[in-house]
Amino acid sequence: MGFALFILLLLVAIGLLILTQAWPAMQEFGLSFLWTSSWNPVEGRESFGVLPIIYGTLVSAAIALLIAVPLGLGTALFLSENFIPLKIRTVLVFMVELLAAIPSVVYGLWGIFVLIPALRWFFDLFGIFFTGPSMLAASLVLSIMILPIITAISRDSLAALPPELRQGSYGLGATRWGTIFRVLVPAAISGIVGGVMLALGRAMGETMAVTMLIGNANTISLSLLDPSNTIASLLANQFAEARGIQVAALMYAAFVLVILTLIVNILADWIVRKLQAKY
Amino acid sequence: MVDTMPMTGTATDVVLRAKDCDMYYGSLKAVRDVSIDIPKNKITAFIGPSGCGKSTVLRCFNRLNDLIESFRLKGQMTYHGQDLYASDVDPVEVRRRIGILFQKPNPFPKSIYDNIAYGPRISGFKGDMDELVETSLRRAVLWDEVKDKLPESGFSLSGGQQQRLCIARTIAVQPEVLLMDEPCSALDPISTLKIEELMKELVQNYTIIIVTHNMEQATRVADYTGFYNAQVVEGAGGKVGYLAEFGETQKIFNDPTLEETKDYVTGRFG
């Protein structure tokens, strides 16, 4: 009880700290901070806006989800059903969970030294110029990073289903795939959605690997091959050298990120509740 | 006395037949030497102490044991003379014809309507689904209780209602045989009686095999009874189940041939 209260206090304290530090920038730029695109820290001509960065944060997270959800759910199904012998499954489950243990910076390095050269070679085949650091590179690495979250949580919720459900469905003459898609996945959907939302939160807040791969350009470009930026990597890049109102602007951006993740979490909770009520 | 044995009837009267069946989990022999004929449109009960393989035998009849990786069957099981375990037999098709009901009611996390419609949908039923749902629920004597709340979750029903929902769900696929694995052991006495009455109605159209721990239940509902017993295996440390005696329920309970059957039905062990 005491510890829970302590965590609550800690959360409030962090929120308050961000809010007080961001206050000067909030007064200076108001809500237009959210939809302007300039980011100019030069003294005397400061103007800050995070629209491209919010865009980058949301788009990179969305692409990562788009790749990781089908892959992660597929892996979870493969690992929770008896497609392969239990011994091999146990090893694979362990390896997927190991993916989550790789430090972010290692993912970043892998992106720089393996993924980007590979992508460059691939796009060269079609005569397309690929700079390297870009939305695509960052999103791909992000998708690998969130894959274990989706897989592990989906697998756990599938494995937690009572065996009677499976038997009931087979007993009615359902095929394996019929059982999976019409009984098992719907029954585990609240856990699966919860996992996806957790992964989305992680993708939006991921810093190191994204900073190393996204190119840190505060522009909106529809091409995924162009560099972009996310709130987390903006903070990581600029905080060390920021002074005065720029610190406040960065804190304001941090506050926006906190709000965004909060919205995602509330949304997740709402969806999970809604789905649970339905079944 | 011999004519009480169903195997003396005409061949068409036998729906399921097991011949010299041994069943294994991995290297462990769980059941040995089961030979039994299941007569059509009758209720056959399997009784016996725990761990004697009644459920294992039951689940073999619709190949549900296929789901257990280590399971193996030796011997022959036939359905209307057709080998159930022949390589060209699709277990999915077998389970459509031979439905099963479990110990614990296991409705799907779907609406009452969808619980019933699930089976017909996956087997490609193309008819009036509303009508099928209604007939199935009526046959399971559940219609009057749920007709106003078909869109509600199957879990909103009581345990006994859930079990009847599961019966309705099984019937909806229009099987010929109903396997029941201790269908009443999780239910209160009133729900149990309802299920038993239901079984007596259903048996006009279906062949029913029921595994039960409740001997009164067997005497109340079953036309035929098979008594399974288990025997300690020397050295292996395990037990192996076998079909000790099979015959008309009357005879099994009042005038059993074997001493062990008599001991069990009079409550001396088990």
Side-chain angles (χ1 to χ4, degrees), chain A residues 82 84-86 89 162 164-176 178-180 182-183 186-187 277-279, chain B residues 59 62 64 66-67 69 92 95-96 98-100 102 104 106-110 115 118-119 121-122 153 155 169-170 173:
Chain A
N82 55 346
I84 39 173
L86 189 64
R89 250 188 291 165
E164 291 89 26
L165 273 185
R166 223 169 252 124
Q167 292 178 351
S169 176
Y170 282 118
L172 287 173
T175 58
R176 170 184 281 179
T179 303
I180 288 177
R182 287 168 177 245
V183 175
K278 199 171 159 198
Y279 294 114
Chain B
R59 284 163 189 234
N62 75 343
L64 210 61
D66 288 18
L67 303 181
E69 262 172 66
V92 169
R95 294 181 202 130
R96 269 175 204 165
I98 306 174
I100 186 161
F102 299 92
K104 235 176 78 189
N106 60 342
F108 299 128
K110 299 173 183 291
N115 258 286
Y118 174 75
R121 271 187 198 138
I122 49 171
S153 163
F155 291 125
R169 180 176 79 179
T170 311
V173 197

Short mmCIF file of all heavy atoms in Angstrom, two decimals, chain A residues 82 84-86 89 162 164-176 178-180 182-183 186-187 277-279, chain B residues 59 62 64 66-67 69 92 95-96 98-100 102 104 106-110 115 118-119 121-122 153 155 169-170 173:
data_model
loop_
_atom_site.label_atom_id
_atom_site.label_comp_id
_atom_site.label_asym_id
_atom_site.label_seq_id
_atom_site.Cartn_x
_atom_site.Cartn_y
_atom_site.Cartn_z
N ASN A 82 0.42 -26.66 -31.35
CA ASN A 82 1.39 -27.76 -31.49
C ASN A 82 1.83 -27.98 -32.93
O ASN A 82 1.71 -29.05 -33.47
CB ASN A 82 0.80 -29.04 -30.91
CG ASN A 82 -0.54 -29.38 -31.55
OD1 ASN A 82 -1.13 -28.54 -32.21
ND2 ASN A 82 -0.97 -30.61 -31.40
N ILE A 84 4.97 -27.54 -33.87
CA ILE A 84 6.29 -28.16 -33.78
C ILE A 84 6.44 -28.78 -32.40
O ILE A 84 5.75 -28.39 -31.48
CB ILE A 84 7.40 -27.12 -34.01
CG1 ILE A 84 7.01 -25.79 -33.33
CG2 ILE A 84 7.70 -26.92 -35.47
CD1 ILE A 84 8.10 -24.77 -33.36
N PRO A 85 7.36 -29.73 -32.27
CA PRO A 85 7.54 -30.40 -30.97
C PRO A 85 7.83 -29.40 -29.85
O PRO A 85 8.46 -28.37 -30.08
CB PRO A 85 8.74 -31.31 -31.20
CG PRO A 85 8.81 -31.52 -32.67
CD PRO A 85 8.23 -30.30 -33.31
N LEU A 86 7.39 -29.77 -28.67
CA LEU A 86 7.47 -28.89 -27.53
C LEU A 86 8.91 -28.43 -27.24
O LEU A 86 9.14 -27.28 -26.88
CB LEU A 86 6.89 -29.59 -26.31
CG LEU A 86 6.69 -28.72 -25.06
CD1 LEU A 86 5.68 -27.63 -25.33
CD2 LEU A 86 6.26 -29.56 -23.88
N ARG A 89 9.88 -25.69 -29.46
CA ARG A 89 9.07 -24.52 -29.12
C ARG A 89 9.66 -23.77 -27.93
O ARG A 89 9.77 -22.55 -27.95
CB ARG A 89 7.65 -24.97 -28.78
CG ARG A 89 6.63 -24.57 -29.82
CD ARG A 89 5.24 -24.86 -29.33
NE ARG A 89 4.98 -26.28 -29.24
CZ ARG A 89 3.96 -26.79 -28.57
NH1 ARG A 89 3.14 -26.00 -27.91
NH2 ARG A 89 3.76 -28.09 -28.55
N PRO A 162 -8.28 -21.89 -21.55
CA PRO A 162 -8.54 -23.24 -21.05
C PRO A 162 -8.49 -24.26 -22.21
O PRO A 162 -9.01 -23.97 -23.29
CB PRO A 162 -9.95 -23.16 -20.47
CG PRO A 162 -10.54 -21.90 -21.01
CD PRO A 162 -9.41 -20.99 -21.34
N GLU A 164 -10.18 -26.68 -22.64
CA GLU A 164 -11.54 -27.09 -23.02
C GLU A 164 -12.04 -26.36 -24.26
O GLU A 164 -12.82 -26.90 -25.04
CB GLU A 164 -12.53 -26.83 -21.88
CG GLU A 164 -12.35 -27.70 -20.67
CD GLU A 164 -11.38 -27.09 -19.67
OE1 GLU A 164 -11.25 -25.84 -19.67
OE2 GLU A 164 -10.75 -27.84 -18.92
N LEU A 165 -11.58 -25.10 -24.43
CA LEU A 165 -12.01 -24.33 -25.60
C LEU A 165 -11.53 -25.01 -26.87
O LEU A 165 -12.28 -25.20 -27.82
CB LEU A 165 -11.41 -22.93 -25.55
CG LEU A 165 -12.16 -21.85 -24.81
CD1 LEU A 165 -11.46 -20.53 -25.00
CD2 LEU A 165 -13.58 -21.77 -25.32
N ARG A 166 -10.25 -25.36 -26.86
CA ARG A 166 -9.63 -26.01 -28.00
C ARG A 166 -10.36 -27.33 -28.29
O ARG A 166 -10.78 -27.60 -29.40
CB ARG A 166 -8.18 -26.27 -27.65
CG ARG A 166 -7.22 -25.96 -28.76
CD ARG A 166 -5.79 -26.00 -28.23
NE ARG A 166 -5.24 -24.67 -28.14
CZ ARG A 166 -4.74 -24.12 -27.05
NH1 ARG A 166 -4.73 -24.79 -25.93
NH2 ARG A 166 -4.27 -22.90 -27.07
N GLN A 167 -10.51 -28.14 -27.22
CA GLN A 167 -11.15 -29.45 -27.39
C GLN A 167 -12.58 -29.29 -27.87
O GLN A 167 -13.05 -30.04 -28.71
CB GLN A 167 -11.14 -30.20 -26.07
CG GLN A 167 -9.75 -30.61 -25.64
CD GLN A 167 -9.75 -31.31 -24.30
OE1 GLN A 167 -10.78 -31.34 -23.62
NE2 GLN A 167 -8.63 -31.85 -23.91
N GLY A 168 -13.28 -28.28 -27.31
CA GLY A 168 -14.66 -28.04 -27.69
C GLY A 168 -14.77 -27.77 -29.17
O GLY A 168 -15.64 -28.29 -29.86
N SER A 169 -13.85 -26.95 -29.65
CA SER A 169 -13.90 -26.59 -31.06
C SER A 169 -13.54 -27.78 -31.95
O SER A 169 -14.24 -28.09 -32.91
CB SER A 169 -12.94 -25.43 -31.32
OG SER A 169 -12.91 -25.14 -32.68
N TYR A 170 -12.47 -28.49 -31.59
CA TYR A 170 -12.10 -29.68 -32.37
C TYR A 170 -13.22 -30.71 -32.31
O TYR A 170 -13.52 -31.38 -33.29
CB TYR A 170 -10.82 -30.30 -31.82
CG TYR A 170 -9.56 -29.58 -32.24
CD1 TYR A 170 -8.72 -29.00 -31.32
CD2 TYR A 170 -9.22 -29.50 -33.58
CE1 TYR A 170 -7.56 -28.34 -31.70
CE2 TYR A 170 -8.07 -28.85 -33.99
CZ TYR A 170 -7.23 -28.28 -33.04
OH TYR A 170 -6.11 -27.63 -33.42
N GLY A 171 -13.84 -30.81 -31.13
CA GLY A 171 -14.90 -31.79 -30.93
C GLY A 171 -16.10 -31.54 -31.83
O GLY A 171 -16.87 -32.43 -32.11
N LEU A 172 -16.26 -30.29 -32.27
CA LEU A 172 -17.37 -29.96 -33.17
C LEU A 172 -16.98 -30.17 -34.62
O LEU A 172 -17.74 -29.84 -35.53
CB LEU A 172 -17.81 -28.52 -32.96
CG LEU A 172 -18.58 -28.25 -31.67
CD1 LEU A 172 -18.81 -26.77 -31.50
CD2 LEU A 172 -19.90 -28.98 -31.70
N GLY A 173 -15.78 -30.66 -34.83
CA GLY A 173 -15.34 -30.88 -36.20
C GLY A 173 -14.71 -29.67 -36.84
O GLY A 173 -14.81 -29.49 -38.05
N ALA A 174 -14.07 -28.84 -36.01
CA ALA A 174 -13.37 -27.69 -36.58
C ALA A 174 -11.96 -28.10 -36.96
O ALA A 174 -11.37 -28.97 -36.34
CB ALA A 174 -13.31 -26.55 -35.56
N THR A 175 -11.44 -27.45 -38.02
CA THR A 175 -10.06 -27.70 -38.38
C THR A 175 -9.16 -26.90 -37.44
O THR A 175 -9.65 -26.08 -36.66
CB THR A 175 -9.79 -27.23 -39.82
OG1 THR A 175 -10.12 -25.85 -39.88
CG2 THR A 175 -10.62 -28.01 -40.81
N ARG A 176 -7.89 -27.12 -37.54
CA ARG A 176 -6.96 -26.37 -36.70
C ARG A 176 -7.07 -24.86 -36.95
O ARG A 176 -7.15 -24.08 -36.03
CB ARG A 176 -5.54 -26.84 -36.99
CG ARG A 176 -4.51 -25.96 -36.34
CD ARG A 176 -3.14 -26.39 -36.73
NE ARG A 176 -2.72 -27.54 -35.97
CZ ARG A 176 -1.55 -28.15 -36.13
NH1 ARG A 176 -0.73 -27.72 -37.02
NH2 ARG A 176 -1.22 -29.18 -35.39
N GLY A 178 -9.54 -23.20 -38.34
CA GLY A 178 -10.85 -22.72 -37.91
C GLY A 178 -10.84 -22.46 -36.42
O GLY A 178 -11.32 -21.44 -35.93
N THR A 179 -10.26 -23.40 -35.68
CA THR A 179 -10.19 -23.25 -34.23
C THR A 179 -9.37 -22.02 -33.85
O THR A 179 -9.76 -21.23 -33.00
CB THR A 179 -9.54 -24.51 -33.62
OG1 THR A 179 -10.31 -25.64 -34.00
CG2 THR A 179 -9.49 -24.41 -32.11
N ILE A 180 -8.24 -21.86 -34.53
CA ILE A 180 -7.36 -20.73 -34.19
C ILE A 180 -8.06 -19.40 -34.45
O ILE A 180 -8.10 -18.54 -33.57
CB ILE A 180 -6.05 -20.82 -35.00
CG1 ILE A 180 -5.19 -21.96 -34.45
CG2 ILE A 180 -5.29 -19.50 -34.94
CD1 ILE A 180 -3.92 -22.19 -35.22
N ARG A 182 -11.30 -18.65 -35.26
CA ARG A 182 -12.67 -18.36 -34.83
C ARG A 182 -12.88 -18.54 -33.35
O ARG A 182 -13.87 -18.03 -32.81
CB ARG A 182 -13.64 -19.26 -35.59
CG ARG A 182 -13.79 -18.82 -37.02
CD ARG A 182 -14.52 -19.91 -37.77
NE ARG A 182 -14.76 -19.53 -39.13
CZ ARG A 182 -15.98 -19.36 -39.62
NH1 ARG A 182 -17.02 -19.48 -38.86
NH2 ARG A 182 -16.14 -19.05 -40.88
N VAL A 183 -12.01 -19.27 -32.69
CA VAL A 183 -12.21 -19.47 -31.25
C VAL A 183 -11.05 -18.90 -30.44
O VAL A 183 -11.23 -18.06 -29.57
CB VAL A 183 -12.39 -20.96 -30.91
CG1 VAL A 183 -12.47 -21.15 -29.41
CG2 VAL A 183 -13.66 -21.49 -31.57
N PRO A 186 -10.20 -14.86 -31.03
CA PRO A 186 -11.23 -14.03 -30.40
C PRO A 186 -11.24 -14.15 -28.87
O PRO A 186 -11.46 -13.16 -28.18
CB PRO A 186 -12.54 -14.57 -30.98
CG PRO A 186 -12.17 -15.18 -32.26
CD PRO A 186 -10.79 -15.73 -32.06
N ALA A 187 -10.97 -15.36 -28.36
CA ALA A 187 -11.01 -15.52 -26.91
C ALA A 187 -9.84 -14.81 -26.24
O ALA A 187 -9.95 -14.35 -25.11
CB ALA A 187 -10.99 -17.00 -26.55
N ALA A 277 -15.94 -6.99 -22.17
CA ALA A 277 -17.37 -6.91 -21.90
C ALA A 277 -18.14 -7.67 -22.96
O ALA A 277 -19.19 -8.25 -22.70
CB ALA A 277 -17.81 -5.45 -21.87
N LYS A 278 -17.60 -7.65 -24.17
CA LYS A 278 -18.31 -8.27 -25.29
C LYS A 278 -18.35 -9.79 -25.13
O LYS A 278 -19.29 -10.44 -25.56
CB LYS A 278 -17.61 -7.87 -26.60
CG LYS A 278 -18.50 -8.05 -27.82
CD LYS A 278 -17.82 -7.43 -29.02
CE LYS A 278 -18.37 -8.01 -30.31
NZ LYS A 278 -17.50 -7.76 -31.43
N TYR A 279 -17.28 -10.35 -24.59
CA TYR A 279 -17.23 -11.81 -24.51
C TYR A 279 -17.51 -12.32 -23.10
O TYR A 279 -17.05 -11.80 -22.16
CB TYR A 279 -15.86 -12.30 -24.99
CG TYR A 279 -15.67 -12.02 -26.45
CD1 TYR A 279 -14.71 -11.13 -26.87
CD2 TYR A 279 -16.50 -12.61 -27.39
CE1 TYR A 279 -14.54 -10.84 -28.22
CE2 TYR A 279 -16.36 -12.34 -28.73
CZ TYR A 279 -15.38 -11.46 -29.14
OH TYR A 279 -15.24 -11.19 -30.47
N ARG B 59 -12.66 -40.92 -25.72
CA ARG B 59 -12.09 -39.94 -26.63
C ARG B 59 -11.47 -40.56 -27.87
O ARG B 59 -11.21 -39.87 -28.85
CB ARG B 59 -11.05 -39.09 -25.90
CG ARG B 59 -11.70 -38.07 -25.00
CD ARG B 59 -10.75 -37.50 -23.99
NE ARG B 59 -11.49 -36.69 -23.03
CZ ARG B 59 -11.17 -35.43 -22.76
NH1 ARG B 59 -10.15 -34.87 -23.34
NH2 ARG B 59 -11.89 -34.75 -21.89
N ASN B 62 -13.89 -40.51 -31.13
CA ASN B 62 -13.93 -39.44 -32.14
C ASN B 62 -12.56 -38.83 -32.38
O ASN B 62 -12.43 -37.71 -32.82
CB ASN B 62 -14.97 -38.36 -31.79
CG ASN B 62 -14.53 -37.45 -30.68
OD1 ASN B 62 -13.61 -37.77 -29.94
ND2 ASN B 62 -15.18 -36.32 -30.57
N LEU B 64 -10.29 -37.67 -30.59
CA LEU B 64 -9.87 -36.47 -29.90
C LEU B 64 -8.50 -36.66 -29.26
O LEU B 64 -7.79 -35.72 -28.98
CB LEU B 64 -10.91 -36.08 -28.84
CG LEU B 64 -11.00 -34.57 -28.57
CD1 LEU B 64 -11.39 -33.82 -29.83
CD2 LEU B 64 -11.98 -34.29 -27.47
N ASP B 66 -6.08 -37.68 -30.73
CA ASP B 66 -5.07 -37.29 -31.72
C ASP B 66 -4.36 -36.01 -31.30
O ASP B 66 -3.22 -35.76 -31.68
CB ASP B 66 -5.75 -37.01 -33.08
CG ASP B 66 -6.21 -38.29 -33.74
OD1 ASP B 66 -6.33 -39.30 -33.04
OD2 ASP B 66 -6.45 -38.26 -34.96
N LEU B 67 -5.07 -35.19 -30.50
CA LEU B 67 -4.49 -33.91 -30.10
C LEU B 67 -3.35 -34.09 -29.10
O LEU B 67 -2.57 -33.19 -28.88
CB LEU B 67 -5.56 -33.01 -29.48
CG LEU B 67 -6.79 -32.72 -30.34
CD1 LEU B 67 -7.74 -31.80 -29.62
CD2 LEU B 67 -6.36 -32.09 -31.65
N GLU B 69 0.04 -35.45 -28.30
CA GLU B 69 1.14 -35.87 -29.16
C GLU B 69 1.61 -37.30 -28.89
O GLU B 69 1.91 -38.04 -29.80
CB GLU B 69 2.33 -34.92 -28.97
CG GLU B 69 2.41 -33.86 -30.04
CD GLU B 69 3.48 -32.84 -29.71
OE1 GLU B 69 4.66 -33.22 -29.69
OE2 GLU B 69 3.13 -31.68 -29.44
N VAL B 92 -11.37 -34.61 -38.76
CA VAL B 92 -12.33 -33.51 -38.67
C VAL B 92 -13.73 -34.01 -39.01
O VAL B 92 -14.71 -33.68 -38.34
CB VAL B 92 -11.89 -32.36 -39.61
CG1 VAL B 92 -12.99 -31.34 -39.74
CG2 VAL B 92 -10.62 -31.72 -39.08
N ARG B 95 -15.17 -36.17 -36.21
CA ARG B 95 -15.68 -35.42 -35.06
C ARG B 95 -16.99 -34.72 -35.37
O ARG B 95 -17.75 -34.36 -34.48
CB ARG B 95 -14.63 -34.42 -34.60
CG ARG B 95 -13.40 -35.12 -34.06
CD ARG B 95 -12.37 -34.14 -33.58
NE ARG B 95 -11.06 -34.80 -33.57
CZ ARG B 95 -9.98 -34.29 -34.13
NH1 ARG B 95 -10.03 -33.10 -34.72
NH2 ARG B 95 -8.85 -34.94 -34.08
N ARG B 96 -17.26 -34.49 -36.67
CA ARG B 96 -18.56 -33.92 -37.02
C ARG B 96 -19.67 -34.94 -36.82
O ARG B 96 -20.79 -34.61 -36.48
CB ARG B 96 -18.55 -33.47 -38.48
CG ARG B 96 -18.13 -32.03 -38.58
CD ARG B 96 -17.98 -31.55 -39.98
NE ARG B 96 -17.05 -30.43 -39.93
CZ ARG B 96 -16.44 -29.91 -40.97
NH1 ARG B 96 -16.66 -30.41 -42.15
NH2 ARG B 96 -15.62 -28.90 -40.81
N ILE B 98 -19.37 -37.66 -34.78
CA ILE B 98 -19.35 -38.17 -33.42
C ILE B 98 -19.01 -37.00 -32.51
O ILE B 98 -17.84 -36.64 -32.33
CB ILE B 98 -18.32 -39.31 -33.28
CG1 ILE B 98 -18.61 -40.39 -34.33
CG2 ILE B 98 -18.35 -39.89 -31.87
CD1 ILE B 98 -17.59 -41.49 -34.38
N GLY B 99 -20.02 -36.37 -31.97
CA GLY B 99 -19.81 -35.17 -31.15
C GLY B 99 -19.41 -35.53 -29.74
O GLY B 99 -19.61 -36.67 -29.29
N ILE B 100 -18.87 -34.57 -29.02
CA ILE B 100 -18.45 -34.85 -27.66
C ILE B 100 -18.82 -33.72 -26.71
O ILE B 100 -18.87 -32.56 -27.09
CB ILE B 100 -16.92 -35.14 -27.58
CG1 ILE B 100 -16.52 -35.59 -26.17
CG2 ILE B 100 -16.13 -33.93 -28.02
CD1 ILE B 100 -15.21 -36.31 -26.10
N PHE B 102 -18.09 -32.30 -22.68
CA PHE B 102 -17.06 -32.47 -21.67
C PHE B 102 -17.60 -32.31 -20.25
O PHE B 102 -18.72 -31.87 -20.04
CB PHE B 102 -15.93 -31.46 -21.91
CG PHE B 102 -15.28 -31.65 -23.24
CD1 PHE B 102 -15.72 -30.95 -24.35
CD2 PHE B 102 -14.25 -32.55 -23.39
CE1 PHE B 102 -15.13 -31.13 -25.59
CE2 PHE B 102 -13.65 -32.74 -24.62
CZ PHE B 102 -14.09 -32.03 -25.72
N LYS B 104 -16.59 -30.25 -17.84
CA LYS B 104 -16.89 -28.87 -17.47
C LYS B 104 -17.57 -28.21 -18.66
O LYS B 104 -17.09 -28.33 -19.78
CB LYS B 104 -15.59 -28.12 -17.16
CG LYS B 104 -15.58 -27.47 -15.80
CD LYS B 104 -14.23 -26.84 -15.52
CE LYS B 104 -14.07 -25.52 -16.24
NZ LYS B 104 -12.71 -25.00 -16.15
N ASN B 106 -18.12 -25.92 -21.50
CA ASN B 106 -17.09 -25.07 -22.11
C ASN B 106 -17.64 -24.24 -23.26
O ASN B 106 -17.21 -24.39 -24.39
CB ASN B 106 -15.92 -25.93 -22.58
CG ASN B 106 -16.34 -26.96 -23.61
OD1 ASN B 106 -17.52 -27.26 -23.73
ND2 ASN B 106 -15.40 -27.47 -24.37
N PRO B 107 -18.62 -23.37 -22.98
CA PRO B 107 -19.10 -22.51 -24.07
C PRO B 107 -17.96 -21.64 -24.59
O PRO B 107 -17.02 -21.34 -23.86
CB PRO B 107 -20.18 -21.66 -23.41
CG PRO B 107 -19.95 -21.76 -21.95
CD PRO B 107 -19.26 -23.06 -21.71
N PHE B 108 -18.04 -21.28 -25.86
CA PHE B 108 -17.04 -20.37 -26.42
C PHE B 108 -17.34 -18.96 -25.92
O PHE B 108 -18.49 -18.65 -25.62
CB PHE B 108 -17.11 -20.38 -27.95
CG PHE B 108 -16.84 -21.72 -28.55
CD1 PHE B 108 -17.71 -22.29 -29.45
CD2 PHE B 108 -15.69 -22.42 -28.20
CE1 PHE B 108 -17.45 -23.53 -30.02
CE2 PHE B 108 -15.43 -23.67 -28.75
CZ PHE B 108 -16.31 -24.22 -29.66
N PRO B 109 -16.32 -18.12 -25.85
CA PRO B 109 -16.58 -16.73 -25.46
C PRO B 109 -17.28 -15.97 -26.59
O PRO B 109 -16.74 -15.05 -27.15
CB PRO B 109 -15.19 -16.18 -25.16
CG PRO B 109 -14.25 -17.05 -25.89
CD PRO B 109 -14.90 -18.39 -26.03
N LYS B 110 -18.46 -16.44 -26.91
CA LYS B 110 -19.26 -15.82 -27.97
C LYS B 110 -20.69 -15.71 -27.45
O LYS B 110 -20.99 -16.19 -26.36
CB LYS B 110 -19.27 -16.70 -29.22
CG LYS B 110 -17.94 -16.96 -29.87
CD LYS B 110 -18.14 -17.99 -30.98
CE LYS B 110 -16.84 -18.37 -31.65
NZ LYS B 110 -16.24 -17.32 -32.46
N ASN B 115 -22.55 -19.42 -30.35
CA ASN B 115 -22.08 -20.70 -29.82
C ASN B 115 -22.69 -21.85 -30.59
O ASN B 115 -22.03 -22.83 -30.91
CB ASN B 115 -22.45 -20.82 -28.33
CG ASN B 115 -21.28 -20.55 -27.42
OD1 ASN B 115 -20.38 -21.38 -27.31
ND2 ASN B 115 -21.25 -19.39 -26.80
N TYR B 118 -21.63 -21.75 -34.49
CA TYR B 118 -20.21 -21.98 -34.80
C TYR B 118 -19.98 -23.29 -35.58
O TYR B 118 -19.38 -23.28 -36.66
CB TYR B 118 -19.40 -22.00 -33.51
CG TYR B 118 -17.95 -22.37 -33.69
CD1 TYR B 118 -17.06 -21.45 -34.23
CD2 TYR B 118 -17.47 -23.63 -33.35
CE1 TYR B 118 -15.74 -21.77 -34.41
CE2 TYR B 118 -16.15 -23.97 -33.54
CZ TYR B 118 -15.28 -23.03 -34.07
OH TYR B 118 -13.97 -23.37 -34.25
N GLY B 119 -20.49 -24.40 -35.04
CA GLY B 119 -20.26 -25.69 -35.67
C GLY B 119 -20.80 -25.75 -37.09
O GLY B 119 -20.07 -26.09 -38.03
N ARG B 121 -21.48 -23.37 -39.11
CA ARG B 121 -20.77 -22.43 -39.99
C ARG B 121 -19.47 -23.05 -40.49
O ARG B 121 -19.17 -22.98 -41.68
CB ARG B 121 -20.44 -21.13 -39.24
CG ARG B 121 -21.55 -20.11 -39.36
CD ARG B 121 -21.14 -18.77 -38.75
NE ARG B 121 -22.33 -17.98 -38.50
CZ ARG B 121 -22.52 -17.26 -37.41
NH1 ARG B 121 -21.59 -17.20 -36.48
NH2 ARG B 121 -23.63 -16.59 -37.25
N ILE B 122 -18.69 -23.63 -39.58
CA ILE B 122 -17.40 -24.17 -40.03
C ILE B 122 -17.57 -25.39 -40.91
O ILE B 122 -16.70 -25.71 -41.69
CB ILE B 122 -16.46 -24.52 -38.85
CG1 ILE B 122 -17.20 -25.36 -37.82
CG2 ILE B 122 -15.87 -23.29 -38.21
CD1 ILE B 122 -16.31 -25.90 -36.75
N SER B 153 -23.69 -13.21 -23.93
CA SER B 153 -22.57 -14.14 -23.86
C SER B 153 -23.02 -15.50 -23.30
O SER B 153 -23.88 -15.56 -22.42
CB SER B 153 -21.47 -13.57 -22.98
OG SER B 153 -20.58 -14.59 -22.60
N PHE B 155 -21.45 -17.20 -21.36
CA PHE B 155 -21.04 -17.28 -19.96
C PHE B 155 -22.08 -16.70 -19.01
O PHE B 155 -21.96 -16.85 -17.80
CB PHE B 155 -19.71 -16.55 -19.75
CG PHE B 155 -18.56 -17.24 -20.41
CD1 PHE B 155 -17.75 -16.58 -21.31
CD2 PHE B 155 -18.30 -18.57 -20.13
CE1 PHE B 155 -16.70 -17.22 -21.92
CE2 PHE B 155 -17.23 -19.22 -20.73
CZ PHE B 155 -16.43 -18.54 -21.64
N ARG B 169 -25.10 -27.08 -28.93
CA ARG B 169 -24.02 -26.76 -29.86
C ARG B 169 -23.57 -28.02 -30.59
O ARG B 169 -23.30 -28.01 -31.79
CB ARG B 169 -22.89 -26.18 -29.03
CG ARG B 169 -21.68 -25.77 -29.77
CD ARG B 169 -20.71 -25.13 -28.82
NE ARG B 169 -19.97 -26.13 -28.05
CZ ARG B 169 -19.04 -25.82 -27.15
NH1 ARG B 169 -18.79 -24.56 -26.88
NH2 ARG B 169 -18.41 -26.75 -26.49
N THR B 170 -23.49 -29.12 -29.83
CA THR B 170 -23.05 -30.38 -30.43
C THR B 170 -24.11 -30.92 -31.39
O THR B 170 -23.80 -31.39 -32.48
CB THR B 170 -22.77 -31.42 -29.32
OG1 THR B 170 -21.94 -30.79 -28.34
CG2 THR B 170 -22.06 -32.62 -29.87
N VAL B 173 -24.50 -29.59 -35.14
CA VAL B 173 -23.68 -30.13 -36.24
C VAL B 173 -24.31 -31.40 -36.80
O VAL B 173 -23.84 -31.97 -37.77
CB VAL B 173 -22.24 -30.41 -35.73
CG1 VAL B 173 -21.27 -30.57 -36.87
CG2 VAL B 173 -21.76 -29.30 -34.82
#
